[in-house]
Amino acid sequence: MARVARRIKDKQVLRLIRCYLQAGLLEGGIVSARQEGTPQGGPLSPLLSNILLDELDKELERRGHRFCRYADDCNIYLQTRSSAERVMTSVTRYLEEQLKLKVNRSKSAVDRPWNRSFLGDSMTFHKQPRLKVAPASVKRHKAGIKEILRRGRGRNLTKILEELKPVMRGWTNYYRYAAVRGIFEELDQWIRRKLRCILWRQWKRPWTRAKRMMQGGLTEAHAFCSAFNGRGPWWNAGASHMNLACPTSYFSRAGLSSYLEQLHRFQHTS
């Protein structure tokens, strides 16, 4: 509060911040006293982090470093590993001794920029680097999509797509500045295969599968041979017969808007 008072002179605002910090913690319907920290998800946490870490920004500017900080996440860019390790040690000492903050050493590292992520983004290793989605972000997104699809195995395809669309749209909008589009193409192929897998499971019997594939344009011989192949849903979802029976246009008509199409639209409207 002493540091906050250096920047804020209004006593009512200071009193309000103190009330936030001293508010109790509700767990299981029981209110307990808060010993440290701020309410999760509230507006106070980013305000206090910027007031406190503004001193770190000024210190890095004084040293002439190139850096990028968002809340408590910060990347500092240097030319050599030895200089990076030296700055890592000095900045850690500054944060712990001057600002009295604890550095999470398990999440901190000296590494190439393309091996690290910042707010879910990373970059390529080229001389003129391009922004790309970090692999960990893609993995988390896929886990969320899998959960939706797992719940949708017994539902109509249209209803599944209605639940998927806002998730896909929000994720694509967040990463609309990405210059590497390959991951969006891969996600389009992956999600169509997941949907074909659901359809294959829903058709259940080989006779039903053969009938559906014939409706999709396969010959009778090809449809029956594929329906009775004895392989699992995931293998069949990626096989040529399901790609022919349920092409990209099939899902477009059902209401699926691809990641690549949404990315193109967001990039041209932002």
Side-chain angles (χ1 to χ4, degrees), residues 133-251:
V133 184
S137 303
V138 178
K139 186 177 180 181
R140 284 194 301 270
H141 180 61
K142 280 187 172 182
I145 293 292
K146 284 179 181 178
E147 185 60 34
I148 295 173
L149 296 178
R150 194 176 292 114
R151 297 196 304 265
R153 287 180 180 176
R155 290 189 295 166
N156 182 275
L157 182 64
T158 306
K159 292 183 178 180
I160 299 172
L161 295 180
E162 285 298 320
E163 191 173 353
L164 280 176
K165 280 193 287 188
V167 177
M168 294 170 61
R169 185 167 56 245
W171 191 84
T172 308
N173 188 26
Y174 181 84
Y175 294 104
R176 65 186 180 276
Y177 297 112
V180 179
R181 300 188 174 189
I183 187 59
F184 295 92
E185 295 176 356
E186 291 174 13
L187 279 171
D188 280 329
Q189 295 172 4
W190 175 80
I191 201 164
R192 285 195 295 267
R193 184 171 180 179
K194 294 292 288 186
L195 291 171
R196 291 186 185 108
C197 186
I198 289 176
L199 290 174
W200 185 266
R201 289 177 183 274
Q202 288 180 347
W203 293 343
K204 293 184 179 179
R205 298 178 181 178
W207 292 96
T208 306
R209 292 167 179 169
K211 180 182 176 182
R212 295 289 189 180
M213 285 188 286
M214 284 190 286
Q215 290 174 351
L218 271 70
T219 63
E220 184 177 350
H222 190 183
F224 273 94
C225 180
S226 302
F228 286 88
N229 61 32
R231 293 185 179 265
W234 182 246
W235 185 92
N236 280 284
S240 60
H241 52 268
M242 281 299 285
N243 280 271
L244 291 170
C246 304
T248 303
S249 57
Y250 174 89
F251 296 109

Side-chain angles (χ1 to χ4, degrees), residues 111-123:
D111 207 344
R112 297 289 188 182
W114 51 85
N115 293 331
R116 305 293 293 174
S117 64
F118 183 67
L119 303 178
D121 286 305
S122 186
M123 61 182 71

